[in-house]
Amino acid sequence: MTPKIRLRDVHKRFGAKVVLDGVDLDIATGESMVIIGGSGTGKSVMIKCILGLLRPDSGSIQVDGAEVVGLKGRALAAHQARFGMLFQGGALFDSLSVWRNVSFALDGSAADRRAAAVDTLARVGLGADVADLRPSELSGGMQKRVALARAIASKPEILFFDEPTTGLDPIMADVINDLIRTLVTDLKITALTITHDMASVRKIADSVAMLYQGRIVWHGPRDGIDSAGNPFVDQFVHGRAEGPIKMQLKRL
Amino acid sequence: MTAFATTLFHALIALGSVVIGLFASVGRLTRFALVVLGRIVRPPWYPAQLVEQMLKIGWFSLPVVGLTAVFTGSALAQQIYIGGSRFNAASTVPAVTVIGIVRELGPVLGGLMVAGRVASAMAAELGTMRVTEQIDALTTLRTDPFQYLVGPRIVAAVLVMPLLVLVSNALGVMGGFLLATGRLHFNAAAYLNTTAQYLKWDDISSSMVKAAVFGFFIALMGCYHGYHSSGGAAGVGRATTNAVVSAFILILMANLVITVIVFGS
Ligand SMILES: Nc1ncnc2c1ncn2[C@@H]1O[C@H](COP(=O)(O)OP(=O)(O)OP(=O)(O)O)[C@@H](O)[C@H]1O
Ligand SMILES: [Mg+2]
């Protein structure tokens, strides 16, 4: 079966800095894939390449078997319209109210869109009272949840979440994990989540891939992460400073 | 090679790369403008955005444009009076004032004022949206940033600038009239009469054409530099400066070109 998303030998560099150095990855339809990896290893760059926001230097990215690298104009817009994306920084429109943000991609009368926005906000644990506020009037964690609501509001077929639980308290993080799991299980959405949060990984992943130095160094089912036998994964899962992943630090 | 030849050589290389850089940016800018024009004519259109931009550009520029015009018109009338034409002042002051204002100073000063206000604001707004990934977010929300952000700004500027310049012209002439009648003891009716006599339709229409062209360049520069900004707050600051400086230069150059075409022959 053709995977929903297939990456082959994807390379991306910024100037002299090589970020992606031959990424191969398959995501099956209806699968929840979680990408783990150290800060600055190129996880966000990778999903921006898939979305067509960044153009890889070489390599192939296919969605449903169709090449997407090099798409332009309306074809690119049609490609991007299939995704819902939670940006790492939220990327809320600060000139619009919360409900207008959430319902941005929806059609219909203002009253209908507002109602749909309030419904979606409820799913991320936000009340109707925030609907008329501006994003700048919300806390960081609330902004993150509004951004999440905006990503899922139009019910796209593929969802990307860049660190959905960063900045949330553990209880709210669990609510969000449940929500993502529900979206994948009940709505058969294909999801790609980036996270550093191992509780999230265990809750939402069907399979896990680890990115290190521009390549996928390990890829397997969720239950495999504890017995991966891969020193990179072991070090990451257990959060150890000592191991093959060297942090660029100066010793005091 | 002698030291002089080496220095000359390096100077030529530096000059060459400046020229190449200039052509490259002209090329990028032209491409940007063509893409924008191609998208503006296709739906979806965003009337609410358009109205908002027309208010922001037009209505809120009225005070500064009006003030500039009144003061410049008065100063111009005073200088023409002083400038050796006292003997024939009764007709020279109103005639030269109205021609100078409508043909040149109204549109140019109005354009520069609006550029200072609007090109900078557009560059800062779009630049912030770029660095906070709001422009990327638009594309994943089924919205083309060219159609949603750039198009309404450019159309609004092209529509509104002629109206602003019309006001600017009227107030500039009024400034000259007030000074001439109030300080230089001109006869009010005669002054207005001469003004009307020397003002031709060509003057007004060329003034409107200039205004529309300036409006296009103002919004284009604001959007182009904002859209392509990178590198956080400092990058947005650079984009803002570049937008204003390049809008100024384009306005002055376009003004010369239009003046030569319309009045040069
Ligand atoms: N637009 C850009 N221009 C230049 N360099 C960039 C750009 N975007 C990302 N990078 C570089 O690419 C590398 C990977 O960035 P990326 O944002 O993908 O990291 P990440 O894996 O998402 O990290 P984190 O977990 O901290 O979010 C970083 O070293 C960053 O400096
Ligand atoms: Mg990231």
Side-chain angles (χ1 to χ4, degrees):
Chain A
M1 208 176 75
T2 33
K4 189 80 182 167
I5 299 172
R6 158 171 281 177
L7 280 73
R8 283 294 173 271
D9 201 27
V10 173
H11 291 258
K12 177 74 191 173
R13 60 161 70 195
F14 293 101
K17 183 175 174 55
V18 175
V19 179
L20 301 181
D21 191 18
V23 173
D24 292 321
L25 189 67
D26 284 346
I27 306 171
T29 306
E31 180 184 34
S32 171
M33 161 80 72
V34 171
I35 306 280
I36 57 174
S39 189
T41 49
K43 305 180 297 295
S44 299
V45 167
M46 187 183 90
I47 57 175
K48 283 184 193 163
C49 285
I50 302 176
L51 281 168
L53 297 173
L54 290 173
R55 179 177 296 220
D57 302 323
S58 66
S60 150
I61 299 173
Q62 298 181 347
V63 176
D64 285 332
E67 182 64 43
V68 299
V69 174
L71 287 182
K72 282 196 195 115
R74 276 186 256 196
L76 178 62
H79 164 66
Q80 289 171 331
R82 303 172 67 179
F83 295 84
M85 167 78 181
L86 167 65
F87 286 85
Q88 189 167 357
L92 292 173
F93 304 126
D94 37 31
S95 58
L96 300 178
S97 65
V98 165
W99 79 264
R100 285 191 187 278
N101 263 282
V102 173
S103 65
F104 195 85
L106 303 182
D107 297 320
S109 71
D112 289 348
R113 284 187 292 128
R114 192 176 196 286
V118 169
D119 277 354
T120 317
L121 285 169
R123 301 191 68 181
V124 296
L126 290 170
D129 48 323
V130 302
D132 292 306
L133 299 180
R134 299 269 156 163
S136 58
E137 295 171 296
L138 304 178
S139 76
M142 290 161 91
Q143 290 179 9
K144 190 114 217 178
R145 285 183 281 157
V146 173
L148 184 72
R150 186 179 69 179
I152 65 175
S154 62
K155 304 190 174 61
E157 47 173 312
I158 309 168
L159 277 168
F160 285 180
F161 304 109
D162 197 345
E163 307 199 1
T165 57
T166 309
L168 302 184
D169 65 78
I171 301 168
M172 192 46 75
D174 201 49
V175 170
I176 298 304
N177 290 336
D178 281 338
L179 171 67
I180 295 176
R181 192 62 244 177
T182 312
L183 290 168
V184 175
T185 315
D186 297 356
L187 300 177
K188 307 273 181 284
I189 284 171
T190 308
L192 178 63
T193 309
I194 294 172
T195 186
H196 299 289
D197 173 0
M198 291 317 293
S200 262
V201 177
R202 291 178 205 284
K203 195 132 195 182
I204 64 186
D206 293 321
S207 54
V208 181
M210 173 147 182
L211 191 64
Y212 179 66
Q213 292 195 335
R215 291 162 180 272
I216 302 291
V217 292
W218 184 81
H219 179 195
R222 174 192 51 197
D223 297 332
I225 53 172
D226 294 307
S227 53
N230 179 306
F232 296 104
V233 179
D234 281 350
Q235 186 189 353
F236 195 88
V237 169
H238 297 109
R240 284 193 290 256
E242 301 301 323
I245 305 175
K246 296 280 181 276
M247 293 287 156
Q248 311 285 321
L249 293 177
K250 235 189 207 134
R251 297 279 169 211
L252 287 178
Chain B
M1 264 193 291
T2 64
F4 174 71
T6 320
T7 315
L8 189 68
F9 185 64
H10 285 301
L12 282 177
I13 290 179
L15 186 67
S17 64
V18 167
V19 171
I20 291 172
L22 192 66
F23 276 115
S25 27
V26 168
R28 272 198 303 276
L29 179 62
T30 311
R31 229 181 71 120
F32 183 86
L34 290 178
V35 171
V36 172
L37 293 177
R39 306 276 172 92
I40 285 178
V41 296
R42 283 207 303 261
W45 294 294
Y46 298 93
Q49 298 294 108
L50 181 65
V51 170
E52 187 190 326
Q53 292 304 323
M54 288 174 76
L55 271 183
K56 270 194 189 168
I57 301 168
W59 184 249
F60 293 109
S61 296
L62 271 177
V64 57
V65 168
L67 220 62
T68 311
V70 172
F71 283 115
T72 309
S74 310
L76 185 64
Q78 176 71 64
Q79 291 292 9
I80 294 164
Y81 183 73
I82 298 168
S85 51
R86 249 168 266 202
F87 315 104
N88 209 356
S91 68
T92 311
V93 171
V96 178
T97 302
V98 71
I99 288 176
I101 289 285
V102 174
R103 287 188 181 180
E104 298 292 331
L105 292 177
V108 170
L109 289 179
L112 294 180
M113 283 309 185
V114 176
R117 262 197 82 241
V118 171
S120 55
M122 285 181 182
E125 192 178 359
L126 266 63
T128 306
M129 292 186 73
R130 163 63 70 197
V131 300
T132 57
E133 300 182 320
Q134 292 178 52
I135 293 186
D136 289 337
L138 274 178
T139 64
T140 65
L141 293 165
R142 297 167 198 182
T143 306
D144 179 352
F146 282 95
Q147 291 179 320
Y148 182 76
L149 294 175
V150 182
R153 284 171 169 75
I154 290 189
V155 174
V158 170
L159 292 180
V160 155
M161 267 305 282
L163 298 177
L164 268 178
V165 166
L166 219 50
V167 174
S168 170
N169 289 344
L171 289 178
V173 170
M174 191 189 86
F177 170 80
L178 289 180
L179 185 114
T181 51
R183 222 179 96 83
L184 307 175
H185 311 296
F186 276 69
N187 176 292
Y191 189 101
L192 289 179
N193 219 338
T194 320
T195 300
Q197 202 184 326
Y198 276 88
L199 182 64
K200 298 280 178 291
W201 272 115
D202 281 359
D203 299 332
I204 298 177
S205 56
S206 78
S207 188
M208 299 296 95
V209 169
K210 281 183 177 180
V213 171
F214 298 169
F216 177 75
F217 282 138
I218 289 167
L220 185 70
M221 288 299 111
C223 292
Y224 174 80
H225 288 285
Y227 191 86
H228 290 293
S229 69
S230 61
V236 175
R238 261 196 314 277
T240 310
T241 310
N242 289 342
V244 174
V245 171
S246 55
F248 272 36
I249 293 173
L250 280 174
I251 286 174
L252 295 173
M253 288 192 337
N255 180 61
L256 179 60
V257 170
I258 299 175
T259 294
V260 169
I261 291 176
V262 176
F263 302 106
S265 50

